Amino acid sequence: MFRKVLVANRGEIAVRIIRGCRELGIKSVAIYSEADAESLHVRAADEAVCVGPASSSQSYLNIDAVTAAAVAVQADAIHPGYGFLAENADFARAVTSAGLTFVGPSAEAMELMGSKTSARRVAVESGVPIVPGTVEALSSFEEARETAEKFGYPVMLKAAAGGGGKGMRLVTNSDELRSAFETAQTEAAAAFGDSALYLEKAVERPRHIEIQIFADTHGNVVHLGERECSIQRRHQKVIEECPSPINDPDLRRRMGEAAVKIGQTTNYTGAGTIEFLLSDATREFYFLEMNTRLQVEHPVTELVTGFDLVREQFRVAAGEVLSFTQDDVRWVGHAIECRIYAEDPANNFFPSPGLITYLREPAGPGIRIDSGVASMSEVSIHYDPMIAKLAVWGRTRHEAIERLRRALDEYQVVGITTTLPFFREVAQDEEFVAGKLDTGFIARFNERRMEVEPSQEHVDLAMIAAAIDYSRHQQPVFAKNGTQVSEGKWRIAGRAAGLRRWKKS
């Protein structure tokens, strides 16, 4: 096993990996930008190295600076986490060229599956169905127009070099195509340094289901079941579950076998995720893309299967055989994860950076918090606004939802606006409770909220009316010393506080 590992990331995933290092007796090294000097991941590591100024392009994305830091501290390996350089083949090559081990797949596998167009070709070669569309990048707008007319609207334009919703546009008719094409190209170039796009037929109201795979250097490839990732905003996931509410063992087997085939075709090693679109009505699934790294939502798989995926990543990178076989994998109970963002759900999830002046995280049975912040942490404008992940486990999905509600009620973050109030409402939503999920869930959820949500004026009037009503029906109450006090005053305060809680939730 490795002696020292540099964690090439920040925030909650860096803290998660550092904890994994500590359990295995590995010394951990954090990297940080000048803006992150006081961050939690820096304090958690055994050593820390500054790799540049606040801009991620000059720090966390600076391949030369990160690699040089690992060499300087005499690390044996680099774990990239997710995001930043995690799926950058040039970074993987730079790490190995420096004589270090990259905790992840080979640069060749990363390149092959990192390009969405070549990944689609691999799926076809593996006999895995793909959404009808192009398998090569579009050469021009004219080709996009001709292809869209061939498959019929609606269609999806997608960046060939990356995911996460960047460079992605839904086009419902020919009038929208040119604007969407140009905007998607610009966004893809800014996010990935590559403006190439491809086009797919849009699947109506699909579920987004992904399969976790793991492979070692000895030819073993297994899957750990599915995660339901349909609840998304701007094509980015915000709530994930394991297993899917569909919970169909035969479907899990078929999707798992398809994912394993792709892993075998690419000679994959380490943790990877095969993403699919699933038609809820027909149970037909289509390959979407592969993420050649650990996923944000890996905790729900860990909670249900009992396997530590970060520990397994280190084992595989060190050349060891997987610690489990396909027959060893069992799915026990149900887990749900909420990504806690410093965002304002009432303002289209607009980022809400600032100082966290008070933080109380939930605890108790079945609760897991992967956090990158503490009280008095500064949430920077320079990086992704996710500050933590709340994951819960229950014996059933119903029990997991009940536990989720309790945990969300306990969770308090003061100083910044977060997505916690949004999650509290979702946890009470009838469609969510019934497991009626697809990628359009949030849009429909917001429509339902608008139908029932009272205006601020109505809430204030209700509070005033409650106060007047109770003041009219005051009854004298005497304290032990004989002093008369007003019961109505306390009842008014209680009712007003209840209304404020309802308003906030």
Side-chain angles (χ1 to χ4, degrees), residues 63-328:
I63 292 176
D64 291 339
V66 174
T67 307
V71 172
V73 299
Q74 299 182 324
D76 305 310
I78 293 181
H79 194 307
Y82 45 69
F84 291 131
L85 296 170
E87 295 180 277
N88 188 308
D90 290 338
F91 179 54
R93 288 195 179 94
V95 171
T96 55
S97 295
L100 309 174
T101 299
F102 181 77
V103 183
S106 68
E108 292 72 26
M110 201 179 293
E111 279 182 333
L112 185 62
M113 300 309 291
S115 166
K116 303 303 183 276
T117 50
S118 64
R120 284 166 63 83
R121 291 196 296 272
V122 169
V124 172
E125 292 171 13
S126 304
V128 178
I130 64 173
V131 179
T134 59
V135 292
E136 301 290 346
L138 297 165
S139 60
S140 65
F141 169 74
E142 285 304 315
E143 184 183 0
R145 182 182 58 78
E146 293 171 4
T147 306
E149 291 176 355
K150 173 184 174 182
F151 290 112
Y153 292 94
V155 297
M156 292 292 295
L157 289 170
K158 296 184 177 182
K166 296 177 176 62
M168 182 184 296
R169 289 295 182 276
L170 173 66
V171 185
T172 59
N173 58 65
S174 59
D175 294 337
E176 300 174 357
L177 185 61
R178 181 175 291 278
S179 174
F181 184 84
E182 293 173 353
T183 304
Q185 273 192 325
T186 301
E187 197 171 277
F192 312 113
D194 186 346
S195 63
L197 305 176
Y198 69 102
L199 183 147
E200 287 180 346
K201 174 69 177 172
V203 179
E204 302 282 356
R205 293 186 66 164
R207 286 181 183 262
H208 188 138
I209 305 290
E210 62 187 28
I211 301 291
Q212 175 74 61
I213 67 167
F214 233 106
D216 60 24
T217 57
H218 303 272
N220 301 302
V221 186
V222 301
H223 75 86
L224 290 93
E226 84 279 9
R227 293 187 288 257
E228 172 80 56
C229 304
S230 297
I231 301 183
Q232 306 174 5
R233 57 100 175 91
R234 295 193 294 273
H235 303 291
Q236 290 186 320
K237 308 158 191 171
V238 293
I239 299 178
E240 300 98 353
E241 303 186 41
C242 179
S244 166
I246 295 175
N247 204 12
D248 183 331
D250 180 64
L251 181 63
R252 178 183 299 133
R253 177 188 58 78
R254 291 189 290 119
M255 295 182 76
E257 289 174 354
V260 166
K261 284 181 183 177
I262 291 175
Q264 292 169 335
T265 300
T266 57
N267 294 317
Y268 195 79
T269 56
T273 298
I274 313 297
E275 304 201 354
F276 297 95
L277 292 181
L278 172 71
S279 170
D280 207 0
T282 65
R283 292 294 198 268
E284 293 178 327
F285 58 87
Y286 306 95
F287 172 80
L288 183 61
E289 64 183 20
M290 181 178 189
N291 291 308
T292 55
R293 53 170 168 77
L294 191 69
Q295 289 282 84
V296 176
E297 56 272 19
H298 75 275
V300 292
T301 296
E302 292 184 327
L303 288 171
V304 170
T305 64
F307 295 113
D308 184 328
L309 301 192
V310 172
R311 177 186 288 260
E312 210 65 32
Q313 281 187 298
F314 283 129
R315 287 175 53 88
V316 167
E320 297 181 18
V321 178
L322 277 174
S323 67
F324 57 90
T325 67
Q326 192 64 63
D327 290 339
D328 295 325

